[in-house]
Amino acid sequence: MAAQKDLWDAIVIGAGIQGCFTAYHLAKHRKRVLLLEQFFLPHSRGSSHGQSRIIRKAYLEDFYTQMMHECYQIWAQLEHEAGTQLHRQTGLLLLGTKENQELKTIQANLSRQRVEHQCLSSEELKQRFPNIRLARGEVGLLDNSGGVLYAYKALRALQDAVRQLGGIVHDGEKVVEINPGLLVKVKTTTRSYQAKSLVITAGPWSNQLLRPLGIELPLQTLRINVCYWRERVPGSYGVSQAFPCFLWLGLYPHHLYGLPAGEYPGLMKVSYHHGNHADPEERDCPTARADIRDVQIVSSFVRDHFPDLKPEPAVMESCMYTNTPDEHFILDRHPKYDNIVIGAGFSGHGFKLAPVVGKILYELSMKLTPSYDLAPFRISRFPSLGKAHL
């Protein structure tokens, strides 16, 4: 029973990329940290699994680009500590019409923050990327810093780093009760713990933990179909051909994105940045796969714009997004309990930003001044979350 009475500086719930980076920063600062994960690791039920993610500085919002400067440094540091490659620079190509406002805003943001980039005319695009078919005289914006993060390797390296720094990781241990107070008590399926602070980074399960604490965040859980498409000529869209990651703006309500062929030889990842409403507890049910309108969107997109890909998906995987209404993160303390910190709503673009998100959550949990302006990430920006919820 002695172990149950141990006091932790911080407990982090959820061992996805955000929780792992939070635990990493806590452990780096010699805090006694326990990282709890309901599933046995590794698992594919949340938002942090899979082989690859895009990394980029190209953003509409300058605050994300600012955060990305430090993210690149911390990713490089983790890569050095792990002694393994976690990232490959390929460039990120953004495509849209000349009139596309998003493209204009991103370009202005990159210029303002002195991020190396190139503007490509339709003619230049055709010369450099002859296997992309342009439909509406699209122009390009190349973010030279863009590339691929090796997501699975990164998550595993981070979990190892947390352990090496003295952090404790308990997987297969679901939290069933949280009792707030000067010391937060956390009860799991196997035992109880207490800590000076608690950080909740539970992805699609965040509201299940927060409702008993008197708050429900405006989170929407989506199931995303992640599709891979076979090259007609292997290597034509590969890293070896210097093919970049891409984001295609303005064709549909949400953008389409792709990564050069790599994780599955001869297959390129191209997907739609949106999905279908899903209950995280039922994501593996056969009915969860029934709605494939997003796959049909990507199929017609591939057929129209990537002539050297076969327009039927060769592999389909799934991933969960947990979206906020404005698709900005929630990084804040609980409105009533200031030693409970919440990181949620990463809206399908949080992986690359996790090094700085983890740093911010560490700072909030230790009551330090945050390194960044948190106004875009506060719970109070959602006016419907009034005192009635508390």
Side-chain angles (χ1 to χ4, degrees), residues 76-233:
Q77 182 184 324
L78 179 65
E79 201 168 47
H80 176 73
E81 290 167 4
T84 185
Q85 188 182 4
L86 303 176
H87 155 252
R88 182 162 191 163
Q89 191 171 345
T90 63
L92 171 77
L93 179 64
L94 296 108
L95 296 135
T97 61
K98 232 180 262 183
E99 301 76 34
N100 186 287
Q101 199 52 52
E102 279 185 285
L103 204 58
K104 288 179 181 177
T105 305
I106 293 168
Q107 198 271 322
N109 184 22
L110 292 180
S111 294
R112 207 166 39 248
Q113 300 210 37
R114 298 199 167 102
V115 176
E116 190 187 337
H117 66 281
Q118 299 163 50
C119 297
L120 302 173
S121 67
S122 293
E123 283 310 309
E124 288 170 316
L125 275 177
K126 285 173 192 166
Q127 284 168 13
R128 282 186 67 168
F129 307 106
N131 52 357
I132 299 179
R133 192 182 287 144
L134 305 177
R136 304 178 298 161
E138 283 88 350
V139 295
L141 175 62
L142 190 65
D143 170 2
N144 296 67
S145 70
V148 179
L149 277 172
Y150 300 134
Y152 174 70
K153 281 171 69 179
L155 192 59
R156 195 175 56 190
L158 198 50
Q159 288 160 355
D160 289 345
V162 168
R163 292 184 183 101
Q164 284 164 10
L165 290 164
I168 303 296
V169 182
H170 284 185
D171 60 352
E173 211 173 309
K174 184 175 181 171
V175 172
V176 294
E177 195 179 328
I178 298 167
N179 289 305
L182 198 58
L183 295 178
V184 185
K185 295 181 176 61
V186 176
K187 187 180 176 188
T188 72
T189 41
T190 56
R191 66 192 96 175
S192 296
Y193 307 95
Q194 51 183 2
K196 296 173 189 172
S197 70
L198 175 68
V199 182
I200 297 173
T201 51
W205 294 273
S206 296
N207 273 330
Q208 287 181 24
L209 296 170
L210 291 169
R211 266 183 223 113
L213 300 175
I215 187 169
E216 180 154 2
L217 300 175
L219 300 175
Q220 180 189 62
T221 304
L222 299 175
R223 186 182 175 284
I224 309 297
N225 291 307
V226 181
C227 301
Y228 297 82
W229 311 78
R230 192 171 302 285
E231 296 171 309
R232 296 183 194 276
V233 179

Side-chain angles (χ1 to χ4, degrees), residues 317-383:
E317 298 173 343
S318 63
C319 180
M320 301 299 279
Y321 282 9
T322 309
N323 285 19
T324 60
D326 57 12
E327 295 190 5
H328 299 318
F329 312 155
I330 292 169
L331 308 173
D332 207 349
R333 294 191 181 95
H334 188 290
K336 192 173 177 183
Y337 311 111
D338 72 347
N339 60 347
I340 296 177
V341 173
I342 301 161
F346 294 101
S347 303
H349 67 109
F351 200 100
K352 71 186 86 60
L353 284 146
V356 163
V357 166
K359 179 182 177 181
I360 290 167
L361 295 175
Y362 147 71
E363 290 167 341
L364 288 173
S365 71
M366 293 294 114
K367 298 193 168 67
L368 303 170
T369 304
S371 302
Y372 293 82
D373 176 13
L374 298 188
F377 309 118
R378 296 221 180 274
I379 294 170
S380 58
R381 74 184 191 271
F382 302 115

Side-chain angles (χ1 to χ4, degrees), residues 23 27 46 58 63 68 70 72-73 131 158 183 205 209 241 257 268 274 288 293 297 299 316 318 320 338 342:
F63 51 85
M68 281 308 304
E70 187 177 3
Y72 272 90
Q73 294 168 12
N131 52 357
L158 198 50
L183 295 178
W205 294 273
L209 296 170
Q241 294 298 308
Y257 67 92
M268 185 182 181
H274 200 65
R293 275 172 296 184
I297 286 171
S299 185
M316 270 175 60
S318 63
M320 301 299 279
D338 72 347
I342 301 161

